[in-house]
Amino acid sequence: MEGIVSAFSNNNTREGLAEFSQAIDRMEGLRDAIFNDIPKLMSTLDLDDALRFSIFYDFVFFISRENGQKNISVQRAVVAWRMVLSGRFRLLDRWCNFVEKYQRYNITEDVWQQLLAFSRCVNEDLEGYDPTGAWPVLVDDFVEHMHRNYSSCDCSSAMESQLSISNTFGGINPLPG
Amino acid sequence: MVLHKYGEKLYAGLESTMTWRLKEISKSIEAAQGGLFLEELNTKWMDHNKALQMIRDILMYMDRTYVPQSRRTPVHELGLNLWRDHIIHSPMIHSRLLDTLLDLIHRERMGEMINRGLMRSITKMLMDLGAAVYQDDFEKPFLEVSASFYSGESQEFIECCDCGDYLKKSERRLNEEMERVSHYLDAGTETKITSVVEKEMIANHMHRLVHMENSGLVNMLVDDKYDDLARMYNLFRRVSDGLSTIRYVMTSYLRETGKQLVTDPERLKDPVEFVQRLLNEKDKHDKIINVAFGNDKTFQNALNSSFEYFINLNNRSPEFISLYVDDKLRKGLKGATEEDVEVILDKVMMLFRYLQEKDVFEKYYKQHLAKRLLSGKTVSDDAERSMIVKLKTECGYQFTSKLEGMFTDMKTSQDTMIDFYAKKSEELGDGPTLDVHILTTGSWPTQPCPPCNLPTEILAICDKFRSYYLGTHSGRRLTWQTNMGTADIKATFGKGQKHELNVSTYQMCVLMLFNSTDGLTYKDIEQDTAIPASDLKRCLQSLACVKGKNVLRKEPMSKDISEDDTFYFNDKFTSKLVKVKIGTVVAQKESEPEKQETRQRVEEDRKPQIEAAIVRIMKSRRVLDHNSIVAEVTKQLQARFMPNPVVIKKRIESLIEREFLERDKADRKLYRYLA
């Protein structure tokens, strides 16, 4: 199993990967078997290093491709994301729900790869997201969706924090009189 | 005496004598009463000048030798200095002189006549005594007093006058001051006093004037007050920020009214009227800028940018402008001279230039032109071509190539038809005449549409034409666009009266059915003709429901067509006209779904254009960051339309997917071109 991942990471030309992919498909059921074993694979591999994880993450996309297709279906992408990004992306659940609900087309390799970059540079409140940051449209839409749907119910907590700010000011009383 | 080394004695004697004399004079001037004071001063000044001249002549030798040697003040200058010190600066005269002068000027400002000659002499005296004397002893206090005078007066005016009157008064004051300077003040004072008036009367009240209720700038613009506007322009031009204030207010007014104009749902009902209003608005303000603002470039730019702003607020503007042209080229220009036509078309082009979505205009223009050409409703071929030439000069060959293709098709069709009848007239006999327009696919805005069932008579000649055409042009495919044709048919009604009916091909097919029967149900007609339901309903409506054109009778009678209706030939049809036009295909404002469809087609057409631009850019730049690509693509395409950044992004993603581009491994915002 681990051999397959290293075979993937050693094959960094397009032609090489295509050949490798065909090799996997020649053994019936192998692709699905590997896909289903991703959690197991993750527990055996040392993925603490960010670079190594990136390679593994790209491998997951590679193995998720079916019938020689370039892109992967939304359904399969969501399953794969839930396996591979669990505990690594705080908005994973919301992202998956959003994609399942709104994305009508297959997931491209670019979107797959950019999501990892996205998960690394934003926090829970989407702080760190740059609207001019060349994110795929799907990511932009997701952020907009989050702002629209969660900012309204976050109002109360925002109010609370504002209240507490004014309280602290009241206590210190920076401007006497 | 100088020769005998008594120069010093002589000089001292002269100085003391003159001083003594001037003290005498000063007393006599001081003694002068009221108004005579200035005259006395003036007379004495004249005398003094004359005496001084004589003394200088007499003591010329001393002036030439002793004075330069011992570095004394020359005689004449000495005389002036003494006059200055003992007369002008004498405590009794100094302030009295100033007060008198200022009082006289004040009186003149209030409308009194004063002795300007005397004033002139006195100010000239002050100048003769040195520019410093004039400035310190007169000009400075004069400017101060003027400032407070105009500050008070402008306050008073602004409370009680409207903007136009205020400006008139300011202008008059300004002219008065300039005139005063030319009559009896030193020329150097002009810029100083005018800047006082400008500051007090204009700069300080600029904003209040411009925004004055019921008479401010906006009202002047509304009421075309050219004189007032010109006055405002000329006065405001004198102060800093004056013109930019006018420009700012004008721009926001234009934008506001323009926005109302293009978003008012009432206005959207009549596209021709809508565009006419825009043109009128443009004419109106062009004239204002021309007449009142001296054709100021900055104002023209402000006008243009305002129009560009609000025209694009309404996404139907391209359609409406095309409809306006359509209306003009159909009928509006009948009887107009060639020059008139040019003027109108030039105006339309000006609006066209403001459009951001020029490709949408092109789309509509093509549709409207097709209808005009096919229905033969063009008033003037020259006007049509002139418009195309204008579009070509504005947007280049690409923009109009298809439009020109349509004209070529029309011409070729004409030749083909002549040839067809020349060769085949014997075979045809005296059946119906066919006039075919052969349209090149791609040049015309045709939608694939299954042909309806033509009447047998027509079908026969169509087949003959088909075999003729394909015989002369091998390798072509001919399909019939029955949804776009027209027909002239002769019909005889109940009392034997004959009419020539001008109808569409669909209507013709329906009417021909009634040659063999009197009554048909909707279902029968639909089955026999195979006309698409929506078109059939529209066509039956125009045949049976329009008063004066109801050659068919419908049961039950109602405004709308339903699938259970039955139709009869209307025997009782009458019309004063021999030729009856029924439901000609006039280009109309699109309905909401049609509009959506056109919009979608435009969006589809833009995709390849955006992709082509991206590839062009990346081919030459190899590596480029996202925002630069967006900026470049926008720059390249904005002559035709404003590409939406999100759409550009989607196209980039699609190009990545198709492996034209890839993201840089290290910097994800960079794209690389994959050759």
Side-chain angles (χ1 to χ4, degrees):
Chain A
M1 279 293 212
E2 287 159 51
I4 288 173
V5 181
S6 57
F8 167 80
S9 58
N10 291 336
N11 260 313
N12 38 24
T13 64
R14 281 174 194 281
E15 296 77 26
L17 278 181
E19 248 170 61
F20 182 47
S21 182
Q22 280 165 7
I24 290 174
D25 284 334
R26 273 196 284 277
M27 314 230 323
E28 208 174 307
L30 178 59
R31 188 177 285 275
D32 278 344
I34 300 172
F35 183 83
N36 293 330
D37 274 351
I38 287 171
K40 211 194 274 172
L41 203 52
M42 284 178 76
S43 62
T44 58
L45 291 167
D46 173 22
L47 298 174
D48 289 340
D49 177 56
L51 184 66
R52 291 181 67 164
F53 181 76
S54 297
I55 294 169
F56 179 73
Y57 180 81
D58 289 348
F59 167 75
V60 173
F61 182 83
F62 170 79
I63 212 70
S64 306
R65 283 155 66 166
E66 291 165 300
N67 312 325
Q69 284 178 343
K70 225 191 260 178
N71 302 331
I72 61 177
S73 69
V74 170
Q75 232 180 344
R76 202 162 166 92
V78 167
V79 174
W81 270 321
R82 286 195 190 278
M83 288 192 288
V84 74
L85 285 184
S86 149
R88 289 174 187 267
F89 179 25
R90 289 176 181 228
L91 297 166
L92 179 63
D93 213 37
R94 285 177 176 179
W95 166 260
C96 290
N97 293 340
F98 168 79
V99 171
E100 273 179 329
K101 197 164 168 195
Y102 295 103
Q103 175 69 354
R104 283 173 297 149
Y105 308 110
N106 287 344
I107 300 297
T108 64
E109 187 169 12
D110 186 52
V111 170
W112 177 269
Q113 288 175 348
Q114 292 308 306
L115 185 74
L116 181 64
F118 179 72
S119 75
R120 283 174 174 170
C121 79
V122 297
N123 66 8
E124 233 169 339
D125 306 327
L126 296 167
E127 224 175 277
Y129 164 79
D130 174 8
T132 63
W135 296 109
V137 176
L138 186 60
V139 172
D140 288 334
D141 288 348
F142 171 65
V143 172
E144 203 198 349
H145 172 80
M146 291 289 287
H147 280 312
R148 214 181 17 241
N149 288 286
Y150 297 100
S151 60
S152 49
C153 63
D154 279 351
C155 264
S156 52
S157 64
M159 289 270 271
E160 257 167 47
S161 62
Q162 208 158 37
L163 259 176
S164 65
I165 288 168
S166 57
N167 274 343
T168 33
F169 272 128
I172 300 165
N173 204 2
L175 285 170
Chain B
M1 282 177 83
V2 177
L3 283 177
H4 294 91
K5 311 269 185 222
Y6 287 120
E8 191 178 348
K9 196 172 178 194
L10 180 62
Y11 192 86
L14 169 71
E15 192 171 353
S16 66
T17 315
M18 217 149 38
T19 309
W20 172 79
R21 174 71 191 134
L22 285 174
K23 280 190 175 149
E24 292 287 293
I25 293 175
S26 121
K27 282 203 188 89
S28 96
I29 295 174
E30 279 163 25
Q33 290 299 311
L36 293 174
F37 167 73
L38 279 187
E39 270 171 58
E40 182 69 15
L41 178 65
N42 192 34
T43 335
K44 291 290 186 264
W45 165 247
M46 298 293 184
D47 292 348
H48 179 70
N49 255 336
K50 227 176 275 166
L52 211 53
Q53 217 152 25
M54 279 195 267
I55 293 169
R56 190 181 58 186
D57 290 350
I58 294 166
L59 298 178
M60 193 183 295
Y61 187 72
M62 178 185 79
D63 222 11
R64 286 220 191 123
T65 53
Y66 171 75
V67 168
Q69 272 167 24
S70 51
R71 296 193 183 140
R72 294 297 180 106
T73 322
V75 173
H76 188 254
E77 203 183 324
L78 175 74
L80 294 181
N81 287 350
L82 290 174
W83 176 269
R84 179 188 68 201
D85 296 340
H86 295 288
I87 306 291
I88 302 303
H89 287 172
S90 101
M92 295 299 285
I93 294 176
H94 184 237
S95 58
R96 192 171 161 198
L97 171 63
L98 181 64
D99 289 348
T100 314
L101 289 175
L102 294 179
D103 179 54
L104 282 170
I105 290 175
H106 182 74
R107 272 151 70 178
E108 192 182 43
R109 277 183 183 145
M110 301 312 284
E112 279 182 42
M113 290 288 282
I114 60 163
N115 184 348
R116 286 182 157 184
L118 185 59
M119 290 295 280
R120 169 146 206 90
S121 308
I122 300 291
T123 53
K124 188 160 179 311
M125 168 188 84
L126 295 174
M127 276 306 288
D128 286 346
L129 295 174
V133 177
Y134 174 80
Q135 280 164 8
D136 294 343
D137 293 333
F138 169 71
E139 192 180 63
K140 224 189 266 165
F142 164 68
L143 293 176
E144 278 161 19
V145 168
S146 302
S148 77
F149 172 78
Y150 283 121
S151 138
E153 188 177 73
S154 64
Q155 201 56 48
E156 190 186 310
F157 284 168
I158 203 134
E159 296 300 344
C160 66
C161 296
D162 68 19
C163 182
D165 282 346
Y166 183 94
L167 292 173
K168 262 179 221 155
K169 290 189 164 137
S170 311
E171 190 185 39
R172 202 170 57 228
R173 280 305 191 195
L174 203 59
N175 290 335
E176 275 172 19
E177 290 303 330
M178 286 193 267
E179 195 200 25
R180 174 166 302 120
V181 171
S182 76
H183 274 102
Y184 59 80
L185 297 180
D186 182 60
T189 309
E190 182 172 306
T191 51
K192 294 177 195 161
I193 183 67
T194 49
S195 79
V196 166
V197 181
E198 283 155 11
K199 178 171 175 287
E200 296 300 335
M201 298 212 72
I202 300 164
N204 287 352
H205 300 287
M206 201 155 66
H207 293 281
R208 183 143 175 215
L209 280 171
V210 163
H211 295 292
M212 209 176 251
E213 225 170 296
N214 301 325
S215 71
L217 177 56
V218 168
N219 295 76
M220 291 181 183
L221 290 172
V222 171
D223 299 334
D224 294 324
K225 299 231 163 133
Y226 300 120
D227 292 345
D228 287 344
L229 287 165
R231 197 166 289 122
M232 180 179 269
Y233 178 81
N234 288 322
L235 289 174
F236 278 43
R237 188 166 54 168
R238 298 171 154 271
V239 302
S240 68
D241 292 340
L243 289 189
S244 61
T245 307
I246 299 183
R247 216 164 30 237
Y248 177 76
V249 173
M250 188 182 92
T251 307
S252 51
Y253 158 74
L254 280 173
R255 286 183 177 219
E256 197 40 52
T257 48
K259 193 173 165 183
Q260 278 168 15
L261 190 67
V262 300
T263 51
D264 182 357
E266 272 304 302
R267 298 263 166 267
L268 299 185
K269 284 183 183 156
D270 183 355
V272 176
E273 169 74 13
F274 173 90
V275 175
Q276 191 56 54
R277 269 176 182 277
L278 289 179
L279 288 175
N280 293 348
E281 197 69 7
K282 179 73 170 42
D283 280 349
K284 173 191 165 85
H285 291 99
D286 271 341
K287 187 159 181 216
I288 287 175
I289 290 175
N290 183 14
V291 174
F293 297 163
N295 262 335
D296 189 321
K297 271 269 175 312
T298 59
F299 279 79
Q300 286 171 350
N301 291 343
L303 179 63
N304 287 338
S305 77
S306 308
F307 263 78
E308 193 172 328
Y309 162 77
F310 66 72
I311 277 193
N312 290 302
L313 287 180
N314 185 340
N315 62 10
R316 306 203 73 164
S317 294
E319 182 190 353
F320 287 5
I321 293 173
S322 175
L323 279 171
Y324 180 81
V325 181
D326 187 69
D327 179 71
K328 292 291 164 210
L329 292 177
R330 252 172 213 279
K331 55 180 183 230
L333 290 175
K334 254 179 207 159
T337 66
E338 216 167 290
E339 288 89 60
D340 293 346
V341 175
E342 283 296 300
V343 168
I344 290 178
L345 295 183
D346 279 335
K347 282 183 179 169
V348 171
M349 285 312 291
M350 178 194 68
L351 291 185
F352 170 75
R353 251 167 249 140
Y354 297 136
L355 290 178
Q356 274 167 4
E357 300 188 301
K358 297 196 170 60
D359 57 341
V360 179
F361 174 86
E362 188 199 356
K363 195 129 238 148
Y364 283 109
Y365 195 81
K366 215 159 107 177
Q367 277 175 23
H368 299 155
L369 175 65
K371 282 185 186 165
R372 277 203 301 281
L373 291 177
L374 293 179
S375 59
K377 286 294 179 324
T378 302
V379 176
S380 147
D381 215 39
D382 289 342
E384 289 284 0
R385 286 186 184 276
S386 162
M387 184 67 192
I388 303 280
V389 170
K390 285 181 203 306
L391 287 170
K392 197 173 177 176
T393 26
E394 196 67 35
C395 300
Y397 166 76
Q398 289 251 296
F399 195 85
T400 53
S401 61
K402 288 187 177 165
L403 302 178
E404 284 174 298
M406 289 160 71
F407 280 98
T408 321
D409 281 351
M410 292 303 287
K411 181 82 186 84
T412 333
S413 304
Q414 222 175 3
D415 297 343
T416 312
M417 286 325 288
I418 291 170
D419 190 53
F420 173 61
Y421 279 103
K423 285 185 178 149
K424 305 273 168 171
S425 55
E426 291 142 41
E427 287 178 41
L428 296 171
D430 52 356
T433 318
L434 184 70
D435 186 14
V436 181
H437 297 299
I438 303 129
L439 315 180
T440 313
T441 316
S443 291
W444 294 74
T446 49
Q447 289 116 39
C449 167
C452 66
N453 296 333
L454 292 167
T456 45
E457 300 91 324
I458 308 289
L459 209 54
I461 189 168
C462 282
D463 283 340
K464 280 192 184 120
F465 179 79
R466 182 193 293 274
S467 62
Y468 156 79
Y469 186 76
L470 297 180
T472 48
H473 302 87
S474 58
R476 295 205 184 167
R477 248 184 48 210
L478 209 53
T479 53
W480 299 104
Q481 291 276 334
T482 46
N483 55 337
M484 294 166 90
T486 57
D488 291 327
I489 48 181
K490 289 190 179 119
T492 317
F493 290 90
K495 288 175 193 154
Q497 77 272 35
K498 287 186 173 153
H499 287 287
E500 198 175 310
L501 304 178
N502 180 266
V503 295
S504 71
T505 304
Y506 282 158
Q507 289 167 335
M508 183 259 304
C509 294
V510 173
L511 290 177
M512 292 292 271
L513 296 177
F514 290 90
N515 272 341
S516 47
T517 172
D518 276 341
L520 286 167
T521 64
Y522 175 87
K523 289 277 174 215
D524 292 338
I525 299 175
E526 190 178 30
Q527 208 166 18
D528 286 352
T529 59
I531 296 171
S534 63
D535 288 325
L536 180 60
K537 279 187 185 161
R538 221 180 311 159
C539 130
L540 285 171
Q541 199 166 23
S542 58
L543 288 170
C545 305
V546 183
K547 220 180 154 200
K549 305 196 166 171
N550 47 340
V551 291
L552 293 184
R553 192 161 50 80
K554 185 170 89 76
E555 266 178 23
M557 295 275 276
S558 67
K559 281 270 169 213
D560 294 309
I561 305 294
S562 93
E563 306 206 346
D564 309 320
D565 289 347
T566 311
F567 296 87
Y568 300 94
F569 181 66
N570 184 9
D571 244 355
K572 298 191 187 73
F573 173 79
T574 52
S575 174
K576 282 177 220 154
L577 305 161
V578 181
K579 279 191 177 183
V580 183
K581 258 191 212 171
I582 297 175
T584 42
V585 239
V586 179
Q588 270 172 343
K589 186 174 96 164
E590 282 188 326
S591 64
E592 202 54 33
E594 279 173 329
K595 192 188 100 186
Q596 296 293 341
E597 210 187 301
T598 312
R599 168 76 23 198
Q600 212 167 8
R601 274 211 303 280
V602 168
E603 292 294 340
E604 278 308 312
D605 284 355
R606 284 178 181 182
K607 282 184 186 172
Q609 293 184 55
I610 294 174
E611 283 188 0
I614 297 171
V615 170
R616 262 198 312 275
I617 292 160
M618 291 307 289
K619 211 168 185 171
S620 65
R621 306 286 283 269
R622 313 309 286 191
V623 182
L624 203 60
D625 68 291
H626 178 81
N627 293 325
S628 305
I629 295 189
V630 174
E632 285 271 324
V633 169
T634 310
K635 209 173 97 195
Q636 281 202 7
L637 295 175
Q638 66 188 357
R640 277 180 67 72
F641 61 93
M642 276 294 175
N644 178 342
V646 176
V647 177
I648 299 178
K649 203 182 232 184
K650 280 187 179 154
R651 290 301 98 209
I652 293 175
E653 282 183 44
S654 165
L655 287 169
I656 292 177
E657 196 189 331
R658 284 177 287 154
E659 293 172 16
F660 282 94
L661 306 179
E662 69 172 1
R663 277 187 207 260
D664 187 88
K665 298 271 185 300
D667 182 354
R668 41 168 298 280
K669 288 184 197 175
L670 280 186
Y671 302 117
R672 289 177 178 284
Y673 180 70
L674 297 172

